[in-house]
Amino acid sequence: MHYDPSNGGRLVRPNIKGEKTKEHLVECAAHLFLQNGYNATGINDILSKAGVSKGSFYFYFASKKELAMEVADYYSRIKISEISKTAEGRTWEDFIEKLIGDMIKRAKQKKSFGCPLAVLGMEIAFLEPDIADRYYESIKKVVGIFADVFRRSGISEEKAVLIADHALAIYEGYLLFYRISKNIDELEKLRRDLKAIEGSLSL
């Protein structure tokens, strides 16, 4: 609970149900944007998946773009958290085995659609550049995580940053190939080539 000055300073119970509805809308939109594309997903599609009324949508969001901003923040939180937790205490080879291994498991269950940061960022890059900027900032954080793992693996500071950029290009490239082809072999190649980066270095 919190104090509301406009209510005489009395304690006010937060609208838990309202916040859950908003989060539910963001999660449903995030899934549809990634699976079907931002432009191909209309507000009615989101309402149908979320099971809420149009009035409820406009209570929380003034427009589809405003919702898309929230989706960008949502994907940033979950992907950065996922990659960071996977990276904790691991060297590069172990990190890649866990990260891509989990991705392959999801792909076999038909629950993997590529990297949302790159997929959605590319789609709206010229249409909604302010939203695309949010995805770009998140992708830079992924580079930072990669660089940290390289440092922990004994790579020098200068090389770690350069190689992390290269690793990201490989990572996003193969995920794009996978999204287009739906072929899990592309993820196997991703695992192979990311592991090979470390072995090809002269430390």
Side-chain angles (χ1 to χ4, degrees), residues 14-28 50 52 60-61:
N15 186 351
I16 302 299
K17 183 178 179 182
E19 282 303 309
K20 286 187 178 297
T21 299
K22 182 178 181 181
E23 290 171 10
H24 183 56
L25 280 165
V26 171
E27 290 171 1
C28 288
V52 302
Y60 297 108
F61 305 104

mmCIF file of all heavy atoms in Angstrom, residues 14-28 50 52 60-61:
data_model
loop_
_atom_site.group_PDB
_atom_site.id
_atom_site.type_symbol
_atom_site.label_atom_id
_atom_site.label_comp_id
_atom_site.label_asym_id
_atom_site.label_seq_id
_atom_site.Cartn_x
_atom_site.Cartn_y
_atom_site.Cartn_z
ATOM 1 N N PRO A 14 -2.830 -0.805 -3.764
ATOM 2 C CA PRO A 14 -2.568 -0.779 -5.210
ATOM 3 C C PRO A 14 -3.562 -1.651 -5.965
ATOM 4 O O PRO A 14 -4.063 -2.639 -5.435
ATOM 5 C CB PRO A 14 -1.143 -1.336 -5.332
ATOM 6 C CG PRO A 14 -0.924 -2.124 -4.075
ATOM 7 C CD PRO A 14 -1.727 -1.439 -3.006
ATOM 8 N N ASN A 15 -3.828 -1.259 -7.204
ATOM 9 C CA ASN A 15 -4.769 -2.006 -8.038
ATOM 10 C C ASN A 15 -4.047 -3.202 -8.650
ATOM 11 O O ASN A 15 -3.541 -3.145 -9.767
ATOM 12 C CB ASN A 15 -5.335 -1.099 -9.134
ATOM 13 C CG ASN A 15 -6.428 -1.789 -9.938
ATOM 14 O OD1 ASN A 15 -6.654 -2.974 -9.799
ATOM 15 N ND2 ASN A 15 -7.097 -1.020 -10.770
ATOM 16 N N ILE A 16 -4.009 -4.291 -7.853
ATOM 17 C CA ILE A 16 -3.278 -5.480 -8.289
ATOM 18 C C ILE A 16 -3.878 -6.049 -9.562
ATOM 19 O O ILE A 16 -3.187 -6.399 -10.511
ATOM 20 C CB ILE A 16 -3.265 -6.549 -7.182
ATOM 21 C CG1 ILE A 16 -2.641 -5.999 -5.893
ATOM 22 C CG2 ILE A 16 -2.510 -7.784 -7.661
ATOM 23 C CD1 ILE A 16 -1.222 -5.566 -6.027
ATOM 24 N N LYS A 17 -5.199 -6.139 -9.599
ATOM 25 C CA LYS A 17 -5.865 -6.699 -10.767
ATOM 26 C C LYS A 17 -5.555 -5.870 -12.006
ATOM 27 O O LYS A 17 -5.297 -6.400 -13.088
ATOM 28 C CB LYS A 17 -7.374 -6.752 -10.532
ATOM 29 C CG LYS A 17 -8.138 -7.389 -11.682
ATOM 30 C CD LYS A 17 -9.622 -7.459 -11.383
ATOM 31 C CE LYS A 17 -10.371 -8.092 -12.561
ATOM 32 N NZ LYS A 17 -11.832 -8.126 -12.321
ATOM 33 N N GLY A 18 -5.567 -4.537 -11.849
ATOM 34 C CA GLY A 18 -5.274 -3.651 -12.975
ATOM 35 C C GLY A 18 -3.871 -3.837 -13.502
ATOM 36 O O GLY A 18 -3.654 -3.902 -14.710
ATOM 37 N N GLU A 19 -2.901 -3.947 -12.591
ATOM 38 C CA GLU A 19 -1.515 -4.146 -13.017
ATOM 39 C C GLU A 19 -1.355 -5.485 -13.718
ATOM 40 O O GLU A 19 -0.619 -5.600 -14.691
ATOM 41 C CB GLU A 19 -0.574 -4.058 -11.806
ATOM 42 C CG GLU A 19 -0.301 -2.637 -11.358
ATOM 43 C CD GLU A 19 0.279 -1.779 -12.476
ATOM 44 O OE1 GLU A 19 1.269 -2.201 -13.108
ATOM 45 O OE2 GLU A 19 -0.266 -0.695 -12.725
ATOM 46 N N LYS A 20 -2.046 -6.503 -13.228
ATOM 47 C CA LYS A 20 -1.953 -7.823 -13.868
ATOM 48 C C LYS A 20 -2.556 -7.788 -15.270
ATOM 49 O O LYS A 20 -2.060 -8.433 -16.186
ATOM 50 C CB LYS A 20 -2.653 -8.870 -13.001
ATOM 51 C CG LYS A 20 -1.879 -9.248 -11.746
ATOM 52 C CD LYS A 20 -2.533 -10.401 -11.029
ATOM 53 C CE LYS A 20 -1.736 -10.816 -9.804
ATOM 54 N NZ LYS A 20 -0.388 -11.300 -10.140
ATOM 55 N N THR A 21 -3.642 -7.020 -15.438
ATOM 56 C CA THR A 21 -4.250 -6.891 -16.764
ATOM 57 C C THR A 21 -3.288 -6.209 -17.723
ATOM 58 O O THR A 21 -3.122 -6.645 -18.870
ATOM 59 C CB THR A 21 -5.569 -6.091 -16.680
ATOM 60 O OG1 THR A 21 -6.478 -6.777 -15.831
ATOM 61 C CG2 THR A 21 -6.194 -5.927 -18.060
ATOM 62 N N LYS A 22 -2.626 -5.167 -17.255
ATOM 63 C CA LYS A 22 -1.669 -4.454 -18.097
ATOM 64 C C LYS A 22 -0.508 -5.367 -18.488
ATOM 65 O O LYS A 22 -0.113 -5.430 -19.657
ATOM 66 C CB LYS A 22 -1.140 -3.215 -17.366
ATOM 67 C CG LYS A 22 -0.182 -2.390 -18.193
ATOM 68 C CD LYS A 22 0.266 -1.147 -17.440
ATOM 69 C CE LYS A 22 1.228 -0.308 -18.288
ATOM 70 N NZ LYS A 22 1.687 0.901 -17.559
ATOM 71 N N GLU A 23 0.025 -6.098 -17.510
ATOM 72 C CA GLU A 23 1.129 -7.018 -17.786
ATOM 73 C C GLU A 23 0.690 -8.102 -18.778
ATOM 74 O O GLU A 23 1.466 -8.496 -19.653
ATOM 75 C CB GLU A 23 1.607 -7.670 -16.484
ATOM 76 C CG GLU A 23 2.328 -6.714 -15.546
ATOM 77 C CD GLU A 23 2.587 -7.338 -14.183
ATOM 78 O OE1 GLU A 23 2.365 -8.564 -14.046
ATOM 79 O OE2 GLU A 23 2.985 -6.618 -13.274
ATOM 80 N N HIS A 24 -0.543 -8.567 -18.611
ATOM 81 C CA HIS A 24 -1.071 -9.600 -19.504
ATOM 82 C C HIS A 24 -1.163 -9.088 -20.938
ATOM 83 O O HIS A 24 -0.808 -9.800 -21.884
ATOM 84 C CB HIS A 24 -2.453 -10.040 -19.004
ATOM 85 C CG HIS A 24 -3.073 -11.140 -19.793
ATOM 86 N ND1 HIS A 24 -2.456 -12.360 -20.013
ATOM 87 C CD2 HIS A 24 -4.287 -11.216 -20.433
ATOM 88 C CE1 HIS A 24 -3.240 -13.126 -20.749
ATOM 89 N NE2 HIS A 24 -4.349 -12.466 -21.023
ATOM 90 N N LEU A 25 -1.603 -7.859 -21.104
ATOM 91 C CA LEU A 25 -1.672 -7.256 -22.438
ATOM 92 C C LEU A 25 -0.284 -7.155 -23.057
ATOM 93 O O LEU A 25 -0.093 -7.459 -24.240
ATOM 94 C CB LEU A 25 -2.317 -5.870 -22.359
ATOM 95 C CG LEU A 25 -3.843 -5.833 -22.282
ATOM 96 C CD1 LEU A 25 -4.324 -4.459 -21.829
ATOM 97 C CD2 LEU A 25 -4.453 -6.188 -23.631
ATOM 98 N N VAL A 26 0.694 -6.729 -22.265
ATOM 99 C CA VAL A 26 2.068 -6.602 -22.769
ATOM 100 C C VAL A 26 2.604 -7.965 -23.188
ATOM 101 O O VAL A 26 3.200 -8.115 -24.264
ATOM 102 C CB VAL A 26 2.982 -5.961 -21.704
ATOM 103 C CG1 VAL A 26 4.449 -6.029 -22.135
ATOM 104 C CG2 VAL A 26 2.569 -4.511 -21.447
ATOM 105 N N GLU A 27 2.385 -8.987 -22.355
ATOM 106 C CA GLU A 27 2.891 -10.322 -22.667
ATOM 107 C C GLU A 27 2.230 -10.902 -23.919
ATOM 108 O O GLU A 27 2.910 -11.511 -24.755
ATOM 109 C CB GLU A 27 2.667 -11.249 -21.468
ATOM 110 C CG GLU A 27 3.572 -10.911 -20.287
ATOM 111 C CD GLU A 27 3.212 -11.683 -19.038
ATOM 112 O OE1 GLU A 27 2.256 -12.505 -19.099
ATOM 113 O OE2 GLU A 27 3.875 -11.488 -18.008
ATOM 114 N N CYS A 28 0.910 -10.705 -24.043
ATOM 115 C CA CYS A 28 0.214 -11.211 -25.233
ATOM 116 C C CYS A 28 0.693 -10.488 -26.484
ATOM 117 O O CYS A 28 0.932 -11.118 -27.526
ATOM 118 C CB CYS A 28 -1.297 -11.030 -25.068
ATOM 119 S SG CYS A 28 -2.038 -12.152 -23.862
ATOM 120 N N ALA A 50 -5.631 -11.735 -25.485
ATOM 121 C CA ALA A 50 -5.623 -11.386 -24.064
ATOM 122 C C ALA A 50 -6.978 -11.614 -23.402
ATOM 123 O O ALA A 50 -7.061 -11.737 -22.175
ATOM 124 C CB ALA A 50 -5.203 -9.924 -23.897
ATOM 125 N N VAL A 52 -9.518 -9.417 -23.361
ATOM 126 C CA VAL A 52 -9.978 -8.184 -22.707
ATOM 127 C C VAL A 52 -10.689 -7.303 -23.731
ATOM 128 O O VAL A 52 -10.579 -7.516 -24.936
ATOM 129 C CB VAL A 52 -8.808 -7.402 -22.061
ATOM 130 C CG1 VAL A 52 -8.083 -8.266 -21.035
ATOM 131 C CG2 VAL A 52 -7.821 -6.922 -23.127
ATOM 132 N N TYR A 60 -5.214 1.471 -20.470
ATOM 133 C CA TYR A 60 -3.787 1.337 -20.151
ATOM 134 C C TYR A 60 -2.866 1.937 -21.204
ATOM 135 O O TYR A 60 -1.760 2.384 -20.874
ATOM 136 C CB TYR A 60 -3.435 -0.142 -19.970
ATOM 137 C CG TYR A 60 -4.153 -0.783 -18.811
ATOM 138 C CD1 TYR A 60 -5.178 -1.694 -19.032
ATOM 139 C CD2 TYR A 60 -3.827 -0.458 -17.503
ATOM 140 C CE1 TYR A 60 -5.852 -2.271 -17.976
ATOM 141 C CE2 TYR A 60 -4.502 -1.023 -16.437
ATOM 142 C CZ TYR A 60 -5.516 -1.936 -16.673
ATOM 143 O OH TYR A 60 -6.189 -2.493 -15.625
ATOM 144 N N PHE A 61 -3.288 1.942 -22.455
ATOM 145 C CA PHE A 61 -2.412 2.388 -23.540
ATOM 146 C C PHE A 61 -3.167 3.329 -24.480
ATOM 147 O O PHE A 61 -4.289 3.019 -24.897
ATOM 148 C CB PHE A 61 -1.885 1.191 -24.336
ATOM 149 C CG PHE A 61 -1.185 0.171 -23.500
ATOM 150 C CD1 PHE A 61 -1.815 -1.030 -23.184
ATOM 151 C CD2 PHE A 61 0.083 0.405 -22.999
ATOM 152 C CE1 PHE A 61 -1.191 -1.974 -22.394
ATOM 153 C CE2 PHE A 61 0.725 -0.534 -22.204
ATOM 154 C CZ PHE A 61 0.083 -1.727 -21.897
#
